[in-house]
Amino acid sequence: MADIRDFYIIERLIEQQKCECEKLTSTTTFENKSNVFYFVVFKLLFDLDTRTIDSYITDQSYLKSMGKPSGKESGIDAVYIEKDDKGKNVVHLFTFKHTEKINAAMEAFSSSVIDNILFYVDNLVNGSLEKLPNDYNPAIKSWTQQFFDLIADNNVNFVLHLCGNFSRLEINEKRRFEDKISQLPLFSIQYDFLEELVKIYISKGRKKVNGKIVVTRGEYFTEKLEGNNCKTLIAKIDALMLLKLLSNNQKLRNKTSYDITDFDKYELNESAFDDNVRMFLGDSTKINDKIIATAESPTEKENFYYYNNGITILCALCKEGLSSKTTFTIDDIQIVNGSQTIHNLAHLCKSEPTKLSSIFLLCRFYSVVNHETHTHIAEYTNSQHQVKPRDIKALDSIQIKLEKEFDLIGIKYERKKNQYKGGKGSKQKRLDSEKCGKMLIAFYAEDPSTARNDPSSIFTSKYDSAFMEDVSADKILIVKKYHDYIEDCRKKKEKLL
């Protein structure tokens, strides 16, 4: 379900895109945020440059504002053609709606355009170019002729996009629309509303880690749970095979075997730990010392498999059968439990990879579609080190969206402790989620006592009070200004005393 943070993220993207759009024309076209919204969506979906996107927009108001020939478009505001993996044409037909009012955005997408879209689709399927009304704009007429040609060649599928910074389509109109389109074999529907667009934006910031592992038959089992659409692989995997899978070297990750020389100058791919609830704790903890000691011990290393809690990995996985062994292709790897173990083994691997030759780990791979299930697995499987409430909430959608919203204004919001430590920029460009939570609950919830005396509850029982439903980057920056001003006054007073 879309929330207020989704709205703010899209508005930030519009503000960011506006400057680039204004280079296209000297008119006031892009004072209207609705006209910038086209470009934001096209960039999210297709990664097109600004000048190219302009040629795909058919909306009459946009064309008129740009000084181009205009006219009606039957609710088809933009089009785009690409080819699928089999070389077949895919025509994307877009209907856009944008609002600057946040209350309206949380409501349903306007259903008034549905009849216009259905009229146009009916003409495509059963009509001809001559049947289109005379007052249609030249752009939509030109595209429509191309669509007729593609239909005649039996070389096209159509995707109808309902796009808007709204939460959803009104339920009865959604049923009516889907019932009509389901009767047309060439057509499908894609909803690009707030929640969907923000998911795409968040995923674009992540580098996917893919690779292969080989498991001996009899040392793994798989299971598919139909109820929650989750596929499971549980396997006994040797440490070097696991480190190969998590290497920063794509070629090594895709190999089905390894040589000890493959681990010369070994580096982990840290993108595989984005969904871990915290950063690597470093080499100074007692548990990490024990992990290293067991791995290095000639007599104990074979017991590593029994002593260690194992590794939990969220991913998409695909089984490939071989004779005595089985290869699994693992896509979009995310280590949600076992980061400390892996980082310690990687540290050993850099110096003496042969020390890892007899070490095995229990690895649990879960292919999960549902985001809530994904988050819960990350939360409930963390027990080897003490995990603080702030760490657990690092994967909450509120924290992820705040990080992305702040990123759009050049500020690093640290939902994990020291997430951007050592990165570029000054400390003033980093905001810690725990400090933000303290400021929020003290100011907006009027509960400074909790901020001072019970900060851990900010990420447990009082989480909703601190990170309330309408929390945003702007709200946090407002309270930070007050906080910084008060702190400055306090320091000046201390100097006088």
Side-chain angles (χ1 to χ4, degrees), residues 169-415:
L169 180 63
E170 195 278 322
I171 189 65
N172 291 323
E173 284 299 293
K174 185 173 184 284
R175 289 198 194 100
R176 180 172 76 94
F177 188 44
E178 291 176 357
D179 285 345
K180 292 282 187 181
I181 299 304
S182 66
Q183 300 170 31
L184 305 173
L186 296 181
F187 289 80
S188 62
I189 299 170
Q190 179 171 316
Y191 298 109
D192 298 310
F193 296 142
L194 278 172
E195 184 177 12
E196 292 80 11
L197 292 174
V198 170
K199 281 182 179 178
I200 293 169
Y201 171 67
I202 290 173
S203 68
K204 280 183 176 293
R206 167 183 285 176
K207 296 177 182 177
K208 290 189 177 182
V209 181
N210 306 324
K212 295 181 180 180
I213 56 169
V214 176
V215 186
T216 303
R217 290 190 182 277
E219 295 187 345
Y220 76 91
F221 76 88
T222 60
E223 184 178 31
K224 182 176 181 179
L225 304 176
E226 299 292 344
N228 59 6
N229 201 18
C230 175
K231 296 178 183 177
T232 303
L233 164 67
I234 298 180
K236 180 181 180 181
I237 298 175
D238 77 80
L240 288 174
M241 178 64 73
L242 181 61
L243 291 178
K244 179 197 77 66
L245 179 68
L246 300 173
S247 167
N248 208 28
N249 184 326
Q250 178 68 59
K251 289 183 179 180
L252 179 57
R253 293 203 303 271
N254 284 330
K255 290 177 67 173
T256 55
S257 61
Y258 61 80
D259 186 87
I260 205 71
T261 58
D262 288 328
F263 298 95
D264 292 344
K265 299 179 180 179
Y266 180 80
E267 294 290 340
L268 274 175
N269 190 321
E270 293 295 339
S271 295
F273 300 87
D274 285 347
D275 283 357
N276 202 272
V277 294
R278 60 186 163 196
M279 311 302 288
F280 178 47
L281 297 179
D283 303 324
S284 60
T285 71
K286 290 182 179 180
I287 291 177
N288 285 343
D289 291 342
K290 289 180 179 179
I291 291 172
I292 293 289
T294 304
E296 289 185 315
S297 170
T299 57
E300 287 284 72
K301 64 189 305 180
E302 292 184 0
N303 292 324
F304 195 98
Y305 177 82
Y306 303 105
Y307 297 163
N308 189 265
N309 282 354
I311 311 299
T312 304
I313 303 169
L314 297 179
C315 60
L317 58 89
C318 174
K319 179 178 177 181
E320 299 175 6
L322 294 176
S323 54
S324 62
K325 294 186 176 182
T326 300
T327 300
F328 288 88
T329 299
I330 314 294
D331 294 335
D332 199 8
I333 299 161
Q334 284 298 310
I335 308 296
V336 296
N337 180 256
S339 171
Q340 312 306 315
T341 296
I342 292 170
H343 278 84
N344 281 298
L345 294 178
H347 179 73
L348 270 181
C349 185
K350 290 179 182 180
S351 56
E352 295 183 74
T354 53
K355 286 187 175 181
L356 304 181
S357 58
S358 300
I359 294 176
F360 291 84
L361 298 105
L362 178 66
C363 294
R364 298 173 292 271
F365 296 85
Y366 300 114
S367 174
V368 182
V369 176
N370 183 276
H371 176 74
E372 186 176 1
T373 304
H374 180 115
T375 302
H376 284 166
I377 290 173
E379 178 179 345
Y380 299 151
T381 57
N382 280 279
S383 60
Q384 191 167 358
H385 278 87
Q386 181 184 2
V387 181
K388 295 179 180 179
R390 177 256 181 86
D391 297 329
I392 295 295
K393 287 297 185 182
L395 294 184
D396 184 70
S397 64
I398 292 174
Q399 299 301 318
I400 292 172
K401 289 173 184 178
L402 283 172
E403 180 188 12
K404 292 298 180 181
E405 188 186 354
F406 272 113
D407 191 51
L408 287 168
I409 55 176
I411 296 174
K412 298 299 183 185
Y413 179 82
E414 296 182 315
R415 52 190 175 88

